[in-house]
Each structure stands twice: as C-alpha cells, then as structure tokens.
Amino acid sequence: MSVLSSLVEALATGAVEVVDLTAPLHEDTPILMLPEPFGNTWRFEREEISRYDDRGPGWYWNNFRTGEHTGTHFDAPVHWVTGQGLDDVSQVPPARLVGPAAVLDVTARVAENPDFLLEVDDVRAWEAEHGALPVGGWLLLRTGWDARAHDQAEILNADENGPHTPGVSVECARWLAAEAPILGVGVETVGTDAGGAFAFDPAFPCHSMLLGAGKYGLTQLQNLARLPATGAVVVASPLPIRGGSGSPARVLAFVER
C-alpha cells in the first residue's frame, strides 16, 4: 500500500483524526486594535447577493470584505518591515504550508499571569521531555486563550496600560528566528506577539525577527488542547493573494489516534 493510500485508509477508519484549529470567521470575530494614528484592519463584513429569490432563484451567495489579518490568519514574511522583499502570501512554497507540530502547553502559567512570556529555557525544558523541535515544523503555543475568542474585550484583555496577553520574549523570539529549525510560530491570541510587545526592544519581536528570517505566523488558533505535544501534522491554507501580506486561513491538524 502506498503512503497516500495508507493515509486515506487511516482517515476513513479514524486512525488519523482531522482537528480543525480554525476559529470560524464572522461579523463578531475579534480583531487587533492599534492606537491612533495607526490604521486598523477591517472587521469581517458580508453582503448578501441572492438567496434563492428573484436576485438568483437557485443559489445563495455573498460578497464579503475583511482584512488580511482578521481571525485565524497566516502572516507572510512581507507583512513586516524586516521582511520587505521576502515572500508574499502567494509566494510561500506549498511544501512549507505543511509541517509537524510541537505543542508547548503553558496554560497553567498563563492562568496565573496573562502577561506570561515564553523563554528559551521553557523551550529547552520541553525539548528535554519531548525531543528536539521538529525541522520544518510549527511551534504552537497553547495558552488557553482560545476560550476568549468569542469576545473582543476578553481576547484583548486591555486596561489603561494596554493589552495583557501572553506571548514570546525578545530573546526567545530571536532564538526561534535564528537558531530553531521551525518554519513558524502559532498562537491562540490575535497576534503572534504578546499584548505588551509594543514596549519591548525591539517592539513586536515575533513579527520583527521571525518574519525577517523568512518564517511565518499563525494566529487565533483553537483546539490546541486536542493535539499531542508531538506527532501532529499541521496544514495551513491561506488564500494565495498576489502581493498579500497574509490571509485568513483554514488551519487543520492530522492527529494519529
């Protein structure tokens, strides 16, 4: 039996489960909110064209508009100034949209401190237990933040000092960009950086360093609790928008049961 035939059989029998890591996209999908004078992304908006009526008796369809970085989405390198001149979302090689996943569970620590930052030592401790980060794979940071995905205020968790959401430290972002064998980082928050990352030096280190290194970001993921620490395979499917800095994406994981 060929490899692909084996996969098809495993999917049919349930030996391999497909887990959807995508938050459904709708008009109330939370978005990142930047302070003035910076521009902000559009929310998801939809306009009905016809619905089995005189505008089109046999079909239902809609127009929609939204930002490239709304909802569960893919960050291409060109999204950040450090990645200008690198791949836009249509230029990302298809083979780099599929890769093994390393799931780092820090939910208990985030419950105690919403400003939690992942450090290199945390990754090293995970590697000591589970093995090295996968070559050409994703580091998925499980924080439990997907429980807040239904509400704009809860997912941003902001006060007068700004948002308080977990993320990655400057040193860890630098290490993940320059030394780790991964192709990108996936998170449950609205962006790959921590809520307080605007005040880091440099600001927004995940965006600046990983995208500048030709790596990628996935955001607003769900159901990471259904993935093992190792062994899952992630498929990220952004729209190949020519010149696009990113795209809403359907992100799936294959999990052997």
Side-chain angles (χ1 to χ4, degrees), residues 17-23 72 99-107 110 118 126 138-149 166 184-192 217-236 250-255 257:
E17 179 187 6
V18 181
V19 178
D20 197 344
L21 306 184
T22 315
T72 301
V103 183
L104 278 65
D105 183 356
V106 296
T107 52
V110 171
L118 186 75
W126 183 92
W138 290 93
L139 186 156
L140 303 181
L141 187 60
R142 182 187 165 207
T143 58
W145 218 254
D146 58 340
R148 299 168 175 258
V185 169
V187 299
E188 298 165 326
T189 47
V190 294
T192 53
L218 290 174
T219 72
Q220 279 184 254
L221 299 175
Q222 296 191 339
N223 296 321
L224 295 186
R226 295 175 59 187
L227 305 188
T230 64
V233 175
V234 168
V235 180
R250 189 74 179 262
V251 184
L252 307 175
F254 290 174
V255 181
R257 299 301 188 192

Side-chain angles (χ1 to χ4, degrees), residues 122-242:
D122 297 319
V123 183
R124 293 296 194 198
W126 183 92
E127 288 185 310
E129 181 178 357
H130 300 288
L133 291 176
V135 176
W138 290 93
L139 186 156
L140 303 181
L141 187 60
R142 182 187 165 207
T143 58
W145 218 254
D146 58 340
R148 299 168 175 258
H150 64 285
D151 185 88
Q152 177 80 32
E154 285 191 33
I155 201 168
L156 295 184
N157 196 36
D159 60 18
E160 64 277 5
N161 298 313
H164 296 275
T165 64
V168 178
S169 75
V170 171
E171 286 306 314
C172 190
R174 182 177 290 113
W175 181 82
L176 292 172
E179 299 186 42
I182 59 170
L183 57 78
V185 169
V187 299
E188 298 165 326
T189 47
V190 294
T192 53
D193 276 296
F198 62 89
F200 294 0
D201 185 17
F204 307 108
C206 270
H207 283 83
S208 178
M209 295 175 183
L210 273 90
L211 299 183
K215 297 184 178 182
Y216 315 119
L218 290 174
T219 72
Q220 279 184 254
L221 299 175
Q222 296 191 339
N223 296 321
L224 295 186
R226 295 175 59 187
L227 305 188
T230 64
V233 175
V234 168
V235 180
S237 299
L239 297 173
I241 303 167
R242 184 176 296 175

Side-chain angles (χ1 to χ4, degrees), residues 87 89-98 216:
D87 285 350
V89 70
S90 73
Q91 296 168 329
V92 174
R96 288 174 65 82
L97 297 174
V98 181
Y216 315 119

